[in-house]
Amino acid sequence: MVISSNSVPSADAASTFMLQYGRFEAAHQQQLESLGLPKPLWKVLFKKLLEEKLDIGEWVVFGEECAGDLRNLGQHQLCLQKDELIAESDVFLVDHIWTTTASNVQQDLERIPGLLGRMEQITGIYEPHTDGKHDYDPLQDINVPVVMSQAGVDESRARELLREH
């Protein structure tokens, strides 16, 4: 049965989600158990991964000094921004982006596909090019996985195909 309300997902969407979640759980059960992540949070984690929902910034901030609940992180503190966060009520994804050393920065930016564009997007600072434009196109990043799966090509070929059209 499909309900045509925009606020209520269709039965097809719900069954697709559950099928995808079942595959996720089967593939990652051992890993999730070894992390000690409570089972009720597995579906929360899967949904956030699926939606690429990086929402930790809605709950915490880094600061030198802050009131309320905090965790010491070297010279910085992780400070809770909201009144209350119930234990084991949520899971947060953190976009790790990149690990490097100062001596490898330039080489990594040139060598790792998509890294420069991703860093430009996150920082809002774009590397000038000879034509005065920057390479980053946010729609391309969204569409690359789709082209890869539908055309059966690798990431660089998918980007090439998207640039051609």
Side-chain angles (χ1 to χ4, degrees):
M1 174 170 82
V2 176
I3 300 171
S4 62
S5 169
N6 288 337
S7 62
V8 178
S10 71
D12 289 342
S15 62
T16 298
F17 175 84
M18 290 308 296
L19 179 64
Q20 291 173 333
Y21 173 72
R23 289 178 184 151
F24 168 81
E25 184 177 316
H28 299 285
Q29 180 176 355
Q30 183 178 9
Q31 188 178 20
L32 296 169
E33 287 173 345
S34 70
L35 287 171
L37 187 65
K39 190 158 184 165
L41 292 179
W42 295 7
K43 205 173 281 183
V44 174
L45 173 64
F46 174 70
K47 188 172 183 196
K48 286 188 177 188
L49 286 167
L50 196 64
E51 296 171 355
E52 295 184 22
K53 187 174 183 183
L54 305 171
D55 62 344
I56 193 168
E58 296 172 20
W59 286 91
V60 299
V61 293
F62 285 100
E64 304 255 339
E65 289 184 29
C66 52
D69 191 14
L70 53 96
R71 306 287 184 264
N72 189 6
L73 298 173
Q75 294 183 3
H76 296 282
Q77 297 171 347
L78 190 59
C79 308
L80 188 60
Q81 292 193 110
K82 297 194 177 185
D83 292 334
E84 186 176 333
L85 178 60
I86 300 167
E88 298 185 1
S89 64
D90 207 342
V91 66
F92 298 104
L93 303 178
V94 176
D95 189 351
H96 181 259
I97 306 171
W98 177 29
T99 301
T100 191
T101 61
S103 60
N104 291 338
V105 169
Q106 187 64 38
Q107 180 184 13
D108 285 355
L109 288 169
E110 292 169 357
R111 182 179 50 86
I112 300 172
L115 179 61
L116 178 60
R118 179 83 171 115
M119 295 306 295
E120 287 177 333
Q121 176 196 21
I122 289 168
T123 63
I125 302 169
Y126 294 92
E127 180 71 20
H129 296 273
T130 55
D131 60 4
K133 298 179 182 176
H134 58 81
D135 284 337
Y136 182 71
D137 177 1
L139 288 177
Q140 188 179 76
D141 274 356
I142 292 168
N143 291 316
V144 165
V146 175
V147 172
M148 288 172 64
S149 87
Q150 290 182 353
V153 297
D154 65 14
E155 181 181 350
S156 62
R157 179 66 179 138
R159 289 183 183 283
E160 185 180 313
L161 289 168
L162 286 166
R163 278 192 296 272
E164 291 172 3
H165 291 90

